[in-house]
Amino acid sequence: MAQSANPGGAFGQPGALAAGAAGLCSAVLALWAMRGMPLGGLLLWVTPLPLFAAGLAFGARTAILAIAIAAIAVLFGSSMIGLAVFLAVFGVPVALITGTAVQAGRMDLSLPLAILGIWPVVVLGLLAASVSDLEGEMRAAVEMGVRRMGVALPEGMVGQIAQVKAAAAGFWMALLMVGNGAAAQNLVTRQGLALHATPPAEDLRLPGWYLPLPLVGLALWTVVGGAVALSAMLILLVPVFLLGVASIHRLLRGRPGRLAFLIGFYMLMLLFLQIMAPLMVGVGLYDQIRRRAMPPQT
């Protein structure tokens, strides 16, 4: 009798096994944080890591299967709200990023970079459509957080924080995706499982159609006003900000003392983000437009 080519069935496939392991691991990390367990806030930062690893090693379909398995586990372990948060913050962006990054024969980070700005704005729009007074809810959340911390803020400071609360959440989501995606690609590359080589981060660029989107956000904020429109505009600038950071890495590539310069650069970012962020947006815009105008290399 002929031996079955796949005696283990569907779960004998490496991709299926990776999806199951990644999905369950991600669900455990998310549920650990949702239930307020010790170190939950720290583990929340690495929740997308197993999903990214599965997708970057076995393809976007494996990542989607892993996300589906994780979503089912999160639903059984929490609630519909917990599932919605998991999908909005982790599941859908990982699926979009892996689906657009892993292409035939290569990895392209142009569309994933744009998704870091577009997807949080989509989530913000859905929240604004489903919550009658989203700006008021954000202000109430800031006031509650301030009371719990026992911090006394000057008059008007709460309102200013509430104005950019959604933008800060979008920025956090972008950093979460960038950090976990880069860590997952490094992990699977070291294990010899990466589908494609990592393209240099310094060569990042946005699709040409993305640059008008922040201008649309600015126009919307000018006409409508409010925290939602302001946050949408700021979130759409996050990929340009990341492009500026990548430009700094490109300028320092191969130069002596590069590590010391980068350490000082990131220290300035942490201490003076309000100054450095607009500067990096300007650098990103300049680099994007300049390199688009440059003739192709021959």
Side-chain angles (χ1 to χ4, degrees), residues 175-235:
L175 293 183
L176 196 69
M177 294 297 113
V178 170
N180 282 275
Q185 176 67 4
N186 181 61
L187 175 64
V188 297
T189 299
R190 293 178 66 180
Q191 297 299 319
L193 297 173
L195 287 175
H196 306 299
T198 308
E202 297 87 343
D203 294 339
L204 275 176
R205 65 184 65 193
L206 284 161
W209 50 261
Y210 186 87
L211 290 184
L213 295 183
L215 295 178
V216 173
L218 176 61
L220 181 64
W221 177 52
T222 303
V223 174
V224 178
V228 175
L230 175 61
S231 291
M233 182 196 67
L234 293 176
I235 291 171

CSV table of all heavy atoms in Angstrom, one decimal, residues 175-235:
chain,number,residue,atom,x,y,z
A,175,LEU,N,4.6,52.4,15.9
A,175,LEU,CA,5.8,51.9,16.5
A,175,LEU,C,5.7,50.5,16.8
A,175,LEU,O,6.7,49.7,16.7
A,175,LEU,CB,6.1,52.8,17.8
A,175,LEU,CG,6.5,54.2,17.6
A,175,LEU,CD1,6.8,54.8,18.9
A,175,LEU,CD2,7.6,54.4,16.6
A,176,LEU,N,4.5,50.0,17.3
A,176,LEU,CA,4.3,48.6,17.6
A,176,LEU,C,4.5,47.7,16.4
A,176,LEU,O,5.2,46.7,16.5
A,176,LEU,CB,2.9,48.5,18.2
A,176,LEU,CG,2.6,47.2,18.9
A,176,LEU,CD1,3.3,47.1,20.3
A,176,LEU,CD2,1.0,47.1,19.1
A,177,MET,N,3.9,48.2,15.3
A,177,MET,CA,4.1,47.4,14.0
A,177,MET,C,5.5,47.4,13.5
A,177,MET,O,6.0,46.4,13.1
A,177,MET,CB,3.1,47.9,13.0
A,177,MET,CG,1.7,47.8,13.3
A,177,MET,SD,1.1,46.0,13.4
A,177,MET,CE,0.7,45.9,15.2
A,178,VAL,N,6.1,48.5,13.5
A,178,VAL,CA,7.5,48.6,13.1
A,178,VAL,C,8.5,47.8,13.9
A,178,VAL,O,9.3,47.0,13.4
A,178,VAL,CB,8.0,50.1,13.0
A,178,VAL,CG1,9.5,50.2,12.8
A,178,VAL,CG2,7.2,50.9,12.0
A,179,GLY,N,8.4,47.9,15.2
A,179,GLY,CA,9.2,47.2,16.1
A,179,GLY,C,9.1,45.7,16.0
A,179,GLY,O,10.0,44.9,15.9
A,180,ASN,N,7.8,45.2,16.0
A,180,ASN,CA,7.6,43.8,16.0
A,180,ASN,C,7.8,43.2,14.6
A,180,ASN,O,8.3,42.1,14.5
A,180,ASN,CB,6.1,43.5,16.4
A,180,ASN,CG,5.9,43.6,17.9
A,180,ASN,OD1,6.1,42.6,18.6
A,180,ASN,ND2,5.5,44.7,18.4
A,181,GLY,N,7.5,44.0,13.6
A,181,GLY,CA,7.8,43.5,12.2
A,181,GLY,C,9.3,43.3,12.0
A,181,GLY,O,9.8,42.3,11.5
A,182,ALA,N,10.1,44.3,12.4
A,182,ALA,CA,11.6,44.2,12.3
A,182,ALA,C,12.1,43.1,13.1
A,182,ALA,O,13.0,42.4,12.7
A,182,ALA,CB,12.2,45.6,12.7
A,183,ALA,N,11.6,43.0,14.4
A,183,ALA,CA,12.1,41.9,15.2
A,183,ALA,C,11.8,40.5,14.7
A,183,ALA,O,12.6,39.6,14.7
A,183,ALA,CB,11.5,42.0,16.6
A,184,ALA,N,10.6,40.4,14.1
A,184,ALA,CA,10.2,39.1,13.6
A,184,ALA,C,11.0,38.7,12.3
A,184,ALA,O,11.4,37.6,12.2
A,184,ALA,CB,8.7,39.1,13.2
A,185,GLN,N,11.2,39.7,11.5
A,185,GLN,CA,12.1,39.5,10.3
A,185,GLN,C,13.5,39.1,10.7
A,185,GLN,O,14.1,38.2,10.1
A,185,GLN,CB,12.1,40.7,9.4
A,185,GLN,CG,13.0,40.6,8.1
A,185,GLN,CD,12.5,39.6,7.1
A,185,GLN,OE1,11.4,39.0,7.3
A,185,GLN,NE2,13.3,39.4,6.1
A,186,ASN,N,14.0,39.8,11.7
A,186,ASN,CA,15.4,39.4,12.1
A,186,ASN,C,15.4,38.0,12.7
A,186,ASN,O,16.3,37.2,12.5
A,186,ASN,CB,15.8,40.4,13.2
A,186,ASN,CG,17.2,40.2,13.7
A,186,ASN,OD1,18.2,40.2,13.0
A,186,ASN,ND2,17.3,39.9,15.0
A,187,LEU,N,14.4,37.6,13.4
A,187,LEU,CA,14.3,36.3,14.0
A,187,LEU,C,14.2,35.2,13.0
A,187,LEU,O,15.0,34.2,13.0
A,187,LEU,CB,13.1,36.2,15.0
A,187,LEU,CG,12.8,34.8,15.6
A,187,LEU,CD1,13.9,34.4,16.5
A,187,LEU,CD2,11.5,34.9,16.3
A,188,VAL,N,13.3,35.3,12.0
A,188,VAL,CA,13.2,34.3,11.0
A,188,VAL,C,14.4,34.3,10.1
A,188,VAL,O,14.8,33.2,9.5
A,188,VAL,CB,11.9,34.5,10.2
A,188,VAL,CG1,10.7,34.3,11.1
A,188,VAL,CG2,11.8,35.8,9.5
A,189,THR,N,15.0,35.4,9.9
A,189,THR,CA,16.3,35.5,9.0
A,189,THR,C,17.4,34.7,9.7
A,189,THR,O,18.1,33.9,9.1
A,189,THR,CB,16.7,36.9,8.8
A,189,THR,OG1,15.6,37.6,8.0
A,189,THR,CG2,17.9,37.0,7.9
A,190,ARG,N,17.6,34.9,11.0
A,190,ARG,CA,18.6,34.2,11.8
A,190,ARG,C,18.4,32.7,11.8
A,190,ARG,O,19.3,31.9,11.9
A,190,ARG,CB,18.7,34.8,13.2
A,190,ARG,CG,19.2,36.2,13.2
A,190,ARG,CD,19.2,36.8,14.6
A,190,ARG,NE,20.2,36.1,15.4
A,190,ARG,CZ,20.5,36.4,16.7
A,190,ARG,NH1,19.8,37.3,17.3
A,190,ARG,NH2,21.4,35.7,17.4
A,191,GLN,N,17.1,32.3,11.7
A,191,GLN,CA,16.8,30.9,11.7
A,191,GLN,C,16.8,30.3,10.3
A,191,GLN,O,16.5,29.1,10.2
A,191,GLN,CB,15.4,30.7,12.4
A,191,GLN,CG,15.3,31.1,13.9
A,191,GLN,CD,16.3,30.3,14.7
A,191,GLN,OE1,16.5,29.1,14.6
A,191,GLN,NE2,17.0,31.0,15.7
A,192,GLY,N,17.0,31.1,9.3
A,192,GLY,CA,17.0,30.6,8.0
A,192,GLY,C,15.6,30.3,7.4
A,192,GLY,O,15.5,29.6,6.5
A,193,LEU,N,14.6,31.0,7.9
A,193,LEU,CA,13.2,30.8,7.5
A,193,LEU,C,12.6,31.9,6.8
A,193,LEU,O,11.5,31.8,6.3
A,193,LEU,CB,12.3,30.5,8.8
A,193,LEU,CG,12.7,29.2,9.6
A,193,LEU,CD1,11.9,29.2,10.9
A,193,LEU,CD2,12.5,28.0,8.8
A,194,ALA,N,13.3,33.0,6.6
A,194,ALA,CA,12.7,34.2,6.0
A,194,ALA,C,12.5,33.9,4.5
A,194,ALA,O,13.3,33.3,3.8
A,194,ALA,CB,13.7,35.4,6.1
A,195,LEU,N,11.3,34.3,4.0
A,195,LEU,CA,11.0,34.2,2.6
A,195,LEU,C,11.8,35.0,1.8
A,195,LEU,O,12.2,34.6,0.7
A,195,LEU,CB,9.5,34.5,2.4
A,195,LEU,CG,8.4,33.5,2.9
A,195,LEU,CD1,7.0,34.0,2.7
A,195,LEU,CD2,8.6,32.1,2.2
A,196,HIS,N,12.1,36.3,2.2
A,196,HIS,CA,12.9,37.2,1.4
A,196,HIS,C,13.9,37.9,2.3
A,196,HIS,O,13.7,38.0,3.5
A,196,HIS,CB,12.0,38.2,0.8
A,196,HIS,CG,10.9,37.6,0.0
A,196,HIS,ND1,11.1,36.8,-1.1
A,196,HIS,CD2,9.5,37.7,0.1
A,196,HIS,CE1,9.9,36.4,-1.6
A,196,HIS,NE2,9.0,37.0,-0.9
A,197,ALA,N,14.9,38.4,1.7
A,197,ALA,CA,15.9,39.2,2.4
A,197,ALA,C,15.3,40.5,2.9
A,197,ALA,O,14.4,41.1,2.2
A,197,ALA,CB,17.1,39.5,1.6
A,198,THR,N,15.8,41.1,3.9
A,198,THR,CA,15.3,42.4,4.5
A,198,THR,C,15.8,43.5,3.6
A,198,THR,O,17.1,43.7,3.5
A,198,THR,CB,15.8,42.6,5.9
A,198,THR,OG1,15.4,41.4,6.7
A,198,THR,CG2,15.1,43.8,6.5
A,199,PRO,N,15.0,44.3,3.0
A,199,PRO,CA,15.4,45.5,2.3
A,199,PRO,C,16.0,46.5,3.3
A,199,PRO,O,15.5,46.6,4.4
A,199,PRO,CB,14.2,46.0,1.6
A,199,PRO,CG,13.1,45.5,2.4
A,199,PRO,CD,13.5,44.2,3.0
A,200,PRO,N,17.0,47.3,2.8
A,200,PRO,CA,17.6,48.3,3.7
A,200,PRO,C,16.5,49.3,4.2
A,200,PRO,O,15.7,49.8,3.4
A,200,PRO,CB,18.6,49.0,2.9
A,200,PRO,CG,18.9,48.0,1.8
A,200,PRO,CD,17.7,47.3,1.5
A,201,ALA,N,16.4,49.5,5.5
A,201,ALA,CA,15.4,50.5,6.0
A,201,ALA,C,15.7,51.9,5.5
A,201,ALA,O,14.8,52.7,5.4
A,201,ALA,CB,15.5,50.5,7.6
A,202,GLU,N,17.0,52.2,5.2
A,202,GLU,CA,17.3,53.5,4.7
A,202,GLU,C,16.8,53.8,3.3
A,202,GLU,O,16.7,54.9,2.9
A,202,GLU,CB,18.9,53.6,4.6
A,202,GLU,CG,19.5,53.6,6.0
A,202,GLU,CD,19.9,52.1,6.4
A,202,GLU,OE1,19.3,51.2,5.8
A,202,GLU,OE2,20.7,51.9,7.3
A,203,ASP,N,16.4,52.7,2.6
A,203,ASP,CA,15.8,52.9,1.2
A,203,ASP,C,14.3,53.0,1.2
A,203,ASP,O,13.7,52.9,0.1
A,203,ASP,CB,16.3,51.7,0.3
A,203,ASP,CG,17.8,51.7,0.1
A,203,ASP,OD1,18.4,52.8,0.3
A,203,ASP,OD2,18.3,50.6,-0.2
A,204,LEU,N,13.7,53.1,2.4
A,204,LEU,CA,12.3,53.3,2.4
A,204,LEU,C,11.8,54.5,1.7
A,204,LEU,O,12.4,55.5,1.7
A,204,LEU,CB,11.8,53.4,3.9
A,204,LEU,CG,11.6,52.1,4.7
A,204,LEU,CD1,11.3,52.5,6.1
A,204,LEU,CD2,10.5,51.3,4.1
A,205,ARG,N,10.6,54.4,1.0
A,205,ARG,CA,9.9,55.5,0.5
A,205,ARG,C,8.5,55.2,0.4
A,205,ARG,O,8.0,54.0,0.4
A,205,ARG,CB,10.5,55.8,-0.9
A,205,ARG,CG,10.3,54.8,-2.0
A,205,ARG,CD,10.9,55.2,-3.3
A,205,ARG,NE,12.4,55.2,-3.1
A,205,ARG,CZ,13.2,55.8,-4.0
A,205,ARG,NH1,12.8,56.4,-5.1
A,205,ARG,NH2,14.5,55.8,-3.8
A,206,LEU,N,7.7,56.2,0.4
A,206,LEU,CA,6.2,56.1,0.4
A,206,LEU,C,5.7,56.1,-1.1
A,206,LEU,O,6.4,56.6,-2.0
A,206,LEU,CB,5.5,57.3,1.1
A,206,LEU,CG,5.6,57.3,2.6
A,206,LEU,CD1,5.3,58.7,3.1
A,206,LEU,CD2,4.5,56.3,3.1
A,207,PRO,N,4.6,55.4,-1.3
A,207,PRO,CA,4.0,55.5,-2.7
A,207,PRO,C,3.7,57.0,-3.0
A,207,PRO,O,3.4,57.8,-2.1
A,207,PRO,CB,2.7,54.7,-2.5
A,207,PRO,CG,2.9,53.9,-1.3
A,207,PRO,CD,3.8,54.6,-0.4
A,208,GLY,N,3.8,57.3,-4.3
A,208,GLY,CA,3.6,58.7,-4.7
A,208,GLY,C,2.2,59.2,-4.3
A,208,GLY,O,2.0,60.4,-4.1
A,209,TRP,N,1.2,58.3,-4.3
A,209,TRP,CA,-0.2,58.8,-4.1
A,209,TRP,C,-0.4,59.1,-2.6
A,209,TRP,O,-1.5,59.7,-2.3
A,209,TRP,CB,-1.2,57.7,-4.5
A,209,TRP,CG,-0.9,56.3,-4.0
A,209,TRP,CD1,-0.3,55.3,-4.7
A,209,TRP,CD2,-1.2,55.8,-2.7
A,209,TRP,NE1,-0.2,54.2,-3.9
A,209,TRP,CE2,-0.8,54.5,-2.7
A,209,TRP,CE3,-1.8,56.3,-1.6
A,209,TRP,CZ2,-0.9,53.7,-1.5
A,209,TRP,CZ3,-2.0,55.5,-0.4
A,209,TRP,CH2,-1.5,54.2,-0.4
A,210,TYR,N,0.5,58.8,-1.7
A,210,TYR,CA,0.3,59.0,-0.3
A,210,TYR,C,0.5,60.4,0.1
A,210,TYR,O,-0.2,60.9,1.0
A,210,TYR,CB,1.2,58.1,0.6
A,210,TYR,CG,0.9,58.2,2.0
A,210,TYR,CD1,-0.1,57.3,2.6
A,210,TYR,CD2,1.5,59.1,2.9
A,210,TYR,CE1,-0.4,57.4,3.9
A,210,TYR,CE2,1.2,59.2,4.2
A,210,TYR,CZ,0.3,58.3,4.7
A,210,TYR,OH,0.0,58.4,6.1
A,211,LEU,N,1.4,61.1,-0.5
A,211,LEU,CA,1.8,62.5,0.0
A,211,LEU,C,0.6,63.5,0.1
A,211,LEU,O,0.5,64.3,1.0
A,211,LEU,CB,2.9,63.1,-0.9
A,211,LEU,CG,4.3,62.4,-0.7
A,211,LEU,CD1,5.3,63.1,-1.6
A,211,LEU,CD2,4.7,62.4,0.7
A,212,PRO,N,-0.4,63.4,-0.9
A,212,PRO,CA,-1.5,64.3,-0.7
A,212,PRO,C,-2.4,64.0,0.5
A,212,PRO,O,-3.2,64.9,0.9
A,212,PRO,CB,-2.3,64.2,-2.0
A,212,PRO,CG,-1.3,63.6,-3.0
A,212,PRO,CD,-0.4,62.7,-2.2
A,213,LEU,N,-2.4,62.8,1.0
A,213,LEU,CA,-3.3,62.5,2.1
A,213,LEU,C,-3.1,63.4,3.3
A,213,LEU,O,-4.2,63.8,3.9
A,213,LEU,CB,-3.1,61.0,2.5
A,213,LEU,CG,-3.5,60.0,1.4
A,213,LEU,CD1,-3.4,58.6,1.9
A,213,LEU,CD2,-4.9,60.3,0.9
A,214,PRO,N,-1.9,63.7,3.8
A,214,PRO,CA,-1.8,64.6,5.0
A,214,PRO,C,-2.4,66.0,4.6
A,214,PRO,O,-2.9,66.7,5.5
A,214,PRO,CB,-0.3,64.7,5.3
A,214,PRO,CG,0.2,63.4,4.8
A,214,PRO,CD,-0.6,63.1,3.5
A,215,LEU,N,-2.3,66.4,3.4
A,215,LEU,CA,-2.9,67.7,3.0
A,215,LEU,C,-4.4,67.6,3.0
A,215,LEU,O,-5.0,68.6,3.4
A,215,LEU,CB,-2.4,68.1,1.6
A,215,LEU,CG,-0.9,68.3,1.4
A,215,LEU,CD1,-0.6,68.6,-0.1
A,215,LEU,CD2,-0.4,69.5,2.3
A,216,VAL,N,-4.9,66.5,2.7
A,216,VAL,CA,-6.4,66.3,2.8
A,216,VAL,C,-6.8,66.4,4.3
A,216,VAL,O,-7.8,67.0,4.6
A,216,VAL,CB,-6.8,65.0,2.2
A,216,VAL,CG1,-8.3,64.7,2.5
A,216,VAL,CG2,-6.6,65.0,0.7
A,217,GLY,N,-6.0,65.8,5.1
A,217,GLY,CA,-6.2,65.8,6.6
A,217,GLY,C,-6.2,67.2,7.1
A,217,GLY,O,-7.0,67.7,7.9
A,218,LEU,N,-5.2,68.0,6.6
A,218,LEU,CA,-5.0,69.4,7.0
A,218,LEU,C,-6.2,70.2,6.6
A,218,LEU,O,-6.8,71.0,7.4
A,218,LEU,CB,-3.8,70.0,6.5
A,218,LEU,CG,-3.5,71.5,6.7
A,218,LEU,CD1,-3.4,71.8,8.2
A,218,LEU,CD2,-2.2,71.9,6.0
A,219,ALA,N,-6.7,70.0,5.4
A,219,ALA,CA,-7.9,70.7,4.9
A,219,ALA,C,-9.1,70.4,5.7
A,219,ALA,O,-9.9,71.3,6.1
A,219,ALA,CB,-8.1,70.4,3.4
A,220,LEU,N,-9.3,69.1,6.0
A,220,LEU,CA,-10.4,68.7,6.8
A,220,LEU,C,-10.4,69.3,8.2
A,220,LEU,O,-11.4,69.8,8.7
A,220,LEU,CB,-10.4,67.1,7.0
A,220,LEU,CG,-11.5,66.5,7.8
A,220,LEU,CD1,-12.9,66.8,7.1
A,220,LEU,CD2,-11.3,65.0,7.9
A,221,TRP,N,-9.2,69.3,8.8
A,221,TRP,CA,-9.1,69.9,10.2
A,221,TRP,C,-9.4,71.4,10.1
A,221,TRP,O,-10.0,72.0,11.0
A,221,TRP,CB,-7.7,69.7,10.7
A,221,TRP,CG,-7.5,70.3,12.1
A,221,TRP,CD1,-8.2,70.2,13.2
A,221,TRP,CD2,-6.4,71.2,12.4
A,221,TRP,NE1,-7.7,70.9,14.2
A,221,TRP,CE2,-6.5,71.5,13.8
A,221,TRP,CE3,-5.2,71.6,11.7
A,221,TRP,CZ2,-5.6,72.3,14.4
A,221,TRP,CZ3,-4.3,72.4,12.4
A,221,TRP,CH2,-4.5,72.8,13.7
A,222,THR,N,-8.9,72.1,9.0
A,222,THR,CA,-9.1,73.5,8.9
A,222,THR,C,-10.6,73.9,8.8
A,222,THR,O,-11.1,74.8,9.3
A,222,THR,CB,-8.4,74.1,7.6
A,222,THR,OG1,-7.0,73.8,7.8
A,222,THR,CG2,-8.6,75.6,7.5
A,223,VAL,N,-11.3,73.0,8.0
A,223,VAL,CA,-12.8,73.2,7.8
A,223,VAL,C,-13.6,72.8,9.0
A,223,VAL,O,-14.5,73.5,9.4
A,223,VAL,CB,-13.2,72.5,6.5
A,223,VAL,CG1,-14.7,72.6,6.3
A,223,VAL,CG2,-12.5,73.1,5.3
A,224,VAL,N,-13.4,71.6,9.5
A,224,VAL,CA,-14.2,71.0,10.5
A,224,VAL,C,-13.7,71.3,11.9
A,224,VAL,O,-14.5,71.6,12.8
A,224,VAL,CB,-14.3,69.4,10.3
A,224,VAL,CG1,-15.1,68.8,11.3
A,224,VAL,CG2,-14.9,69.1,8.9
A,225,GLY,N,-12.4,71.2,12.1
A,225,GLY,CA,-11.8,71.4,13.4
A,225,GLY,C,-12.1,70.2,14.3
A,225,GLY,O,-12.7,69.2,13.9
A,226,GLY,N,-11.7,70.2,15.5
A,226,GLY,CA,-12.0,69.2,16.5
A,226,GLY,C,-10.8,68.2,16.6
A,226,GLY,O,-9.9,68.1,15.8
A,227,ALA,N,-10.9,67.4,17.7
A,227,ALA,CA,-9.8,66.5,18.0
A,227,ALA,C,-9.7,65.4,17.0
A,227,ALA,O,-8.6,64.9,16.7
A,227,ALA,CB,-10.0,65.9,19.4
A,228,VAL,N,-10.8,64.9,16.5
A,228,VAL,CA,-10.8,63.8,15.5
A,228,VAL,C,-10.1,64.2,14.2
A,228,VAL,O,-9.2,63.4,13.8
A,228,VAL,CB,-12.2,63.3,15.2
A,228,VAL,CG1,-12.2,62.2,14.1
A,228,VAL,CG2,-12.9,62.8,16.5
A,229,ALA,N,-10.4,65.3,13.7
A,229,ALA,CA,-9.8,65.8,12.5
A,229,ALA,C,-8.3,66.1,12.7
A,229,ALA,O,-7.4,65.7,11.9
A,229,ALA,CB,-10.5,67.0,11.9
A,230,LEU,N,-8.0,66.7,13.8
A,230,LEU,CA,-6.6,66.9,14.1
A,230,LEU,C,-5.8,65.7,14.3
A,230,LEU,O,-4.7,65.5,13.7
A,230,LEU,CB,-6.5,67.8,15.4
A,230,LEU,CG,-5.1,68.0,16.0
A,230,LEU,CD1,-4.2,68.8,15.0
A,230,LEU,CD2,-5.1,68.8,17.3
A,231,SER,N,-6.3,64.7,15.0
A,231,SER,CA,-5.6,63.4,15.2
A,231,SER,C,-5.5,62.7,13.8
A,231,SER,O,-4.4,62.1,13.6
A,231,SER,CB,-6.4,62.5,16.1
A,231,SER,OG,-6.3,63.1,17.5
A,232,ALA,N,-6.5,62.7,13.0
A,232,ALA,CA,-6.4,62.1,11.7
A,232,ALA,C,-5.2,62.7,10.9
A,232,ALA,O,-4.4,62.0,10.2
A,232,ALA,CB,-7.7,62.2,10.9
A,233,MET,N,-5.1,64.0,10.9
A,233,MET,CA,-4.0,64.7,10.2
A,233,MET,C,-2.7,64.3,10.7
A,233,MET,O,-1.7,63.9,10.0
A,233,MET,CB,-4.2,66.2,10.2
A,233,MET,CG,-3.1,67.0,9.5
A,233,MET,SD,-3.0,68.7,9.9
A,233,MET,CE,-2.4,68.6,11.6
A,234,LEU,N,-2.5,64.3,12.1
A,234,LEU,CA,-1.3,63.9,12.7
A,234,LEU,C,-0.9,62.5,12.4
A,234,LEU,O,0.3,62.1,12.2
A,234,LEU,CB,-1.3,64.2,14.2
A,234,LEU,CG,-1.5,65.7,14.6
A,234,LEU,CD1,-1.6,65.8,16.1
A,234,LEU,CD2,-0.3,66.5,14.1
A,235,ILE,N,-1.9,61.6,12.4
A,235,ILE,CA,-1.6,60.2,12.2
A,235,ILE,C,-1.1,60.0,10.8
A,235,ILE,O,-0.2,59.2,10.5
A,235,ILE,CB,-2.9,59.3,12.5
A,235,ILE,CG1,-3.2,59.3,14.0
A,235,ILE,CG2,-2.7,57.9,12.0
A,235,ILE,CD1,-4.5,58.7,14.3
